[in-house]
């Protein structure tokens, strides 16, 4: 957790950019490149409403929420604090968007970037030999989706149960590389089942079956097993995007870095899921 003085300093940086920004937007992600990714996304969302020249990373989710609570009653400019949905999306009593705070309606910002039409465009740009239609055929998104979505959703339901009842257990940080057996960007069914079984055993060692069954029932009522749920409840940062990029690079031999691809998607992807943020800007 960030020291209070450091967090205050990060938050205060927005004052230096008041002449360039019509709105102050604070985010979690401090990794290199994410400030620009969020700036590109929200400058498109608020086009015609607010000028967005810079956003301000604060640190983890707790830091952003704490700063929102500290500032929300005394804001003098249009302001928005943004946090990921994370595994909290599977909880009934989760944090929800409110004045000045926008909770992403999906796991993380990478879920917003996964616009298949724009991924097709990048496929075409990254191959100077193969025609676009052939690239799309080779990529075979339908196969990728069908071979992954049920396994990943069942795994993330298990992660949701563990996160609720035994938060000390490793969940999403478990590397996707340990759950594949090829360069096709498709998870290995047996490895997924083994991982689910392991999590179930670990949780049942610490929590009663009655509690586990109750939490499972609630989560399964929230998370339908369908294609749409994959892009809401499964982490694109840690799972979906690495799988897609594995497939992407196998076909195109692209040397583009992950952050470069993310930025290019941010510039052109569909931002409809972010439009609701307009309702929660504190003015």
């Amino acid at each position: 957790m960030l020291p209070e003085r450091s967090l205050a300093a990060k938050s205060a940086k927005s004052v230096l950019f008041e002449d360039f920004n019509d709105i102050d937007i604070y985010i979690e992600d401090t990794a290199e490149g994410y400030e620009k990714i969020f700036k590109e996304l929200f400058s498109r969302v608020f086009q015609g409403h607010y000028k967005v020249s810079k956003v301000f990373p604060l640190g983890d989710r707790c830091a952003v929420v704490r700063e929102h609570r500290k500032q929300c009653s005394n804001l003098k400019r249009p302001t928005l604090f943004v946090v990921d949905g994370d595994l909290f999306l599977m909880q009934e009593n989760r944090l929800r968007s409110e004045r000045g705070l926008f909770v992403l309606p999906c796991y993380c910002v990478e879920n917003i970037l996964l616009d298949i039409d724009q991924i097709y465009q990048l496929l075409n740009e990254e191959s100077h030999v193969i025609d676009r239609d052939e690239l799309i055929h080779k990529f075979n998104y339908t196969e990728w989706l069908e071979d992954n979505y049920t396994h990943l959703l069942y795994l993330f339901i298990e992660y949701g149960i563990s996160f609720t009842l035994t938060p000390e257990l490793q969940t999403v940080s478990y590397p996707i590389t340990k759950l594949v057996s090829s360069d096709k960007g498709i998870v290995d069914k047996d490895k997924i089942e083994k991982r689910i079984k392991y999590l179930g055993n670990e949780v049942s060692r610490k929590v009663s079956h009655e509690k586990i069954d109750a939490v499972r029932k609630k989560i399964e009522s929230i998370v339908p097993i369908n294609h749409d749920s994959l892009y809401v409840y499964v982490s694109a940062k840690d799972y979906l995007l690495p799988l897609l990029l594995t497939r992407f690079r196998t076909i195109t031999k692209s040397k583009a870095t992950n952050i470069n691809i993310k930025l290019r998607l941010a510039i052109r992807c569909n931002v409809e899921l972010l439009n609701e943020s307009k309702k929660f800007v504190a003015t």
Side-chain angles (χ1 to χ4, degrees):
M1 188 171 291
L2 289 171
E4 188 67 30
R5 183 176 299 175
S6 173
L7 180 58
K10 288 175 182 285
S11 178
K13 282 181 65 177
S14 62
V15 175
L16 302 176
F17 294 90
E18 288 185 355
D19 291 341
F20 306 98
N21 271 351
D22 294 331
I23 180 173
D24 297 330
I25 298 176
Y26 300 95
I27 64 172
E28 294 183 49
D29 298 87
T30 58
E32 183 178 0
Y34 276 83
E35 184 179 321
K36 189 170 183 179
I37 286 171
F38 274 88
K39 191 267 287 187
E40 292 292 344
L41 290 169
F42 279 99
S43 64
R44 295 170 60 206
V45 170
F46 290 115
Q47 186 174 13
H49 299 274
Y50 301 112
K51 181 181 178 181
V52 181
S53 298
K54 188 175 179 62
V55 301
F56 306 97
L58 294 182
D60 61 20
R61 179 188 181 93
C62 290
V64 177
V65 172
R66 187 165 70 251
E67 195 65 15
H68 165 256
R69 289 173 179 167
K70 178 181 175 182
Q71 292 193 29
C72 67
S73 62
N74 193 36
L75 294 171
K76 299 177 181 178
R77 285 168 48 82
T79 302
L80 189 67
F81 293 83
V82 182
V83 295
D84 292 343
D86 292 328
L87 290 171
F88 294 102
L89 289 173
M90 298 184 186
Q91 298 181 341
E92 286 184 327
N93 298 320
R94 63 185 182 273
L95 179 70
R96 298 180 188 275
S97 298
E98 59 182 83
R99 178 181 177 272
L101 177 68
F102 180 59
V103 181
L104 291 180
C106 52
Y107 195 96
C108 58
V109 71
E110 280 85 353
N111 290 66
I112 303 292
L113 305 181
L114 296 186
D115 182 330
I116 189 60
D117 290 331
Q118 300 310 321
I119 290 173
Y120 288 159
Q121 181 63 26
L122 292 189
L123 275 171
N124 193 42
E125 292 175 5
E126 288 297 311
S127 178
H128 62 282
V129 176
I130 306 173
D131 289 339
R132 176 187 172 93
D133 288 346
E134 185 178 351
L135 287 166
I136 292 173
H137 176 73
K138 286 177 175 289
F139 192 73
N140 199 343
Y141 170 72
T142 300
E143 176 190 65
W144 179 88
L145 185 61
E146 290 299 325
D147 288 347
N148 279 317
Y149 86 96
T150 55
H151 303 309
L152 287 173
L153 282 170
Y154 284 125
L155 174 62
F156 268 72
I157 286 173
E158 209 67 37
Y159 282 167
I161 295 168
S162 177
F163 180 71
T164 301
L165 297 175
T166 54
E168 68 276 10
L169 290 180
Q170 183 187 34
T171 55
V172 182
S173 61
Y174 187 83
I176 187 60
T177 52
K178 292 185 177 182
L179 297 171
V180 297
S181 299
S182 72
D183 61 358
K184 295 181 179 180
I186 294 173
V187 296
D188 183 304
K189 177 183 176 182
D190 293 336
K191 290 182 178 181
I192 291 283
E193 290 179 351
K194 183 177 179 180
R195 176 74 177 144
I196 289 174
K197 183 177 180 180
Y198 168 81
L199 287 166
N201 289 340
E202 288 299 302
V203 174
S204 64
R205 287 176 53 229
K206 302 179 180 184
V207 182
S208 70
H209 289 292
E210 289 76 16
K211 284 187 177 180
I212 295 172
D213 289 343
V215 170
R216 182 182 300 279
K217 185 176 180 180
K218 288 180 181 179
I219 290 177
E220 289 179 345
S221 71
I222 294 170
V223 184
I225 306 300
N226 58 39
H227 295 167
D228 291 340
S229 289
L230 182 73
Y231 289 103
V232 174
Y233 298 102
V234 175
S235 170
K237 180 177 184 177
D238 300 293
Y239 281 60
L240 298 181
L241 192 56
L243 289 171
L244 281 166
L245 289 181
T246 296
R247 201 172 181 89
F248 183 96
R249 292 195 171 96
T250 298
I251 295 167
T252 64
K253 310 304 179 186
S254 172
K255 302 298 183 183
T257 62
N258 287 359
I259 196 65
N260 176 268
I261 290 174
K262 290 178 185 181
L263 178 58
R264 289 159 69 187
L265 288 171
I267 291 170
R268 60 182 79 180
C269 71
N270 188 317
V271 294
E272 184 177 352
L273 280 178
L274 296 177
N275 283 337
E276 191 179 16
S277 65
K278 297 173 186 176
K279 299 191 306 186
F280 298 102
V281 174
T283 57

